[in-house]
Amino acid sequence: MAASASAAGPPSRPARRRTTTRAQLISAATAVFEETGTTNVSVGAICTRAGFTRGAFYSNFNTVDDLFFALYQDRSVEVAGRMEEALARASREGSGETLEGSVKGVLAALPVDETWFAIRAIFLGRAHRNESVAEHLREHADQLRTALQPSLLEADSRAGREVTVGEETFTHAVIAAHVGTAIQRVTYERPDEIRHAAVLGVLTGLTRPRG
């Protein structure tokens, strides 16, 4: 058994190192972006910040765009996990049994991540001229929708409501309400209140009492 465990050990270490390297490159790119305000940064700048060689970069990503899309996707996975946690907490506390409770749960799970929004806005601007970028954004939007949809529908069910449109349309509308108000939060005096009203409006307008 000891020999078997030893044999199984070495393959996992490179995988762990690769995962760590990838995470550090994403963290470095995020820091460079926050300093420069642009995704138009060099591989060299990212590698210098992360303390890695170009070889380490290209063993994980093909381009800088690939890295920033990976950041976008990682944040999407994080949001989905937070939605599941918020739903479970609402279930334990009984706060998800009303529409207001559902809204609070959704808002608690959906982060106001200014870096993520800024990167997304840059790619959206480029998507109008680059179909490849547009396709990446559509893929990631659908991944986020797929991850969030079960939690959103369950939250509605706990509140005694059902959607009146297609489930995909409903989920995209909730995300749009959140993202749209969060991106513009610097223009509002009470941004959290506006975001709450927007998400509540979607949940109210696109659902009805089940029955």
Side-chain angles (χ1 to χ4, degrees):
M1 294 296 291
S4 176
S6 175
S12 66
R13 286 195 289 272
R16 286 197 297 269
R17 286 198 298 270
R18 182 184 178 91
T19 300
T20 300
T21 299
R22 179 183 182 280
Q24 291 176 338
L25 285 167
I26 289 176
S27 177
T30 303
V32 172
F33 173 80
E34 289 175 346
E35 290 177 359
T36 63
T38 178
T39 58
N40 187 26
V41 299
S42 68
V43 171
I46 295 171
C47 290
T48 297
R49 175 59 66 92
F52 292 127
T53 64
R54 288 174 178 267
F57 179 94
Y58 287 113
S59 69
N60 287 273
F61 304 103
N62 292 322
T63 66
V64 171
D65 276 359
D66 286 342
L67 188 158
F68 280 110
F69 277 126
L71 167 60
Y72 185 94
Q73 187 169 9
D74 283 356
R75 296 294 173 87
S76 298
V77 172
E78 178 184 339
V79 168
R82 292 180 61 174
M83 276 292 292
E84 292 179 1
E85 292 175 4
L87 181 61
R89 184 167 55 252
S91 177
R92 291 194 302 270
E93 298 172 353
S95 60
E97 296 178 0
T98 65
L99 195 58
E100 183 68 22
S102 295
V103 172
K104 290 181 178 179
V106 170
L107 295 182
L110 293 174
V112 178
D113 187 330
E114 294 180 358
T115 297
W116 187 53
F117 290 143
I119 291 172
R120 185 178 186 277
I122 289 173
F123 279 126
L124 282 171
R126 291 168 55 187
H128 294 290
R129 303 182 301 277
N130 188 320
E131 178 56 29
S132 176
V133 173
E135 180 61 26
H136 273 298
L137 287 176
R138 284 193 290 268
E139 289 176 1
H140 288 153
D142 199 54
Q143 288 171 359
L144 179 58
R145 191 271 310 164
T146 299
L148 293 183
Q149 187 166 301
S151 295
L152 287 173
L153 293 176
E154 186 172 346
D156 284 332
S157 179
R158 288 184 182 280
R161 300 184 72 85
E162 61 185 5
V163 298
T164 58
V165 296
E167 294 178 351
E168 292 185 8
T169 298
F170 170 74
T171 307
H172 279 307
V174 174
I175 295 171
H178 158 65
V179 173
T181 52
I183 286 177
Q184 301 181 76
R185 63 184 289 108
V186 295
T187 66
Y188 305 137
E189 291 185 2
R190 297 181 298 279
D192 292 334
E193 181 180 321
I194 300 298
R195 190 165 68 107
H196 181 280
V199 173
L200 178 60
V202 170
L203 291 180
T204 303
L206 299 183
T207 66
R208 65 189 173 200
R210 191 173 59 247

